[in-house]
Amino acid sequence: MSADETPVVHAIELDVLVDYHQTYLVDEGCSAGRIYDGPSSHPVGIVQVGKGNALLTVGLQWGTMGFTVAVADRDPGADFDGYEDIVEISYESPSGRVSLEEWGGEKAHALPPLPAGPGTYRLRYHARGMDEESSDEIDEHYLLQIWPQPPSDPAVLKSTSWFFEYWLNSERSR
């Protein structure tokens, strides 16, 4: 495959019930919440990873959020125009099969199989509308991109919202 070929992307649109500003990416055979059993691996504000799972923070305290999850065979490129905050972090998948799980285990939304099976992936988490006050008026949406990539340091690609800065600064103070 040459570098100029378009990535193969399998995208899924979801409505996800969130509570306590959070939802989880969970690997098959793992459970959400294991992040708190020990130090997370290089948290980056609104996303932090643990063994086989990732905690994804949203702006809305509780309710239903729109998520797009895109699983790709290589970096699909960030959507800088469509989102206000964008971060990246490495993630280890023991099984190569993941789901987006609602807070408290309410429901697990199966995602397309990860293209390289078990191994290391990159998560790029996009957020829009995190600072909005009322769920009736907001355009809060999240895009999670996942593709195979060797481990690398977490990165903040774009930061504009107050809510993101709050979480980023709270991670720095730990």
Side-chain angles (χ1 to χ4, degrees), residues 18-23 55-58 60-63 103 167:
V18 299
D19 206 347
Y20 295 99
H21 299 282
Q22 56 193 271
T23 191
L55 168 68
L56 306 170
T57 303
V58 300
L60 189 65
Q61 182 175 355
W62 61 272
W103 191 90
W167 284 104

Side-chain angles (χ1 to χ4, degrees), residues 107-166:
K107 183 176 181 182
H109 303 269
L111 300 177
L114 300 180
T120 305
Y121 289 82
R122 192 69 169 170
L123 304 181
R124 183 180 293 131
Y125 189 43
H126 300 67
R128 176 179 67 228
M130 291 182 83
D131 286 345
E132 300 299 325
E133 295 288 326
S134 166
S135 61
D136 296 335
E137 306 168 10
I138 63 169
D139 183 25
E140 189 170 342
H141 191 270
Y142 297 87
L143 167 62
L144 177 64
Q145 297 171 317
I146 307 169
W147 70 94
Q149 180 176 306
S152 55
D153 290 336
V156 175
L157 303 184
K158 185 176 180 183
S159 167
T160 63
S161 75
W162 172 90
F163 194 83
F164 172 75
E165 285 298 321
Y166 167 81

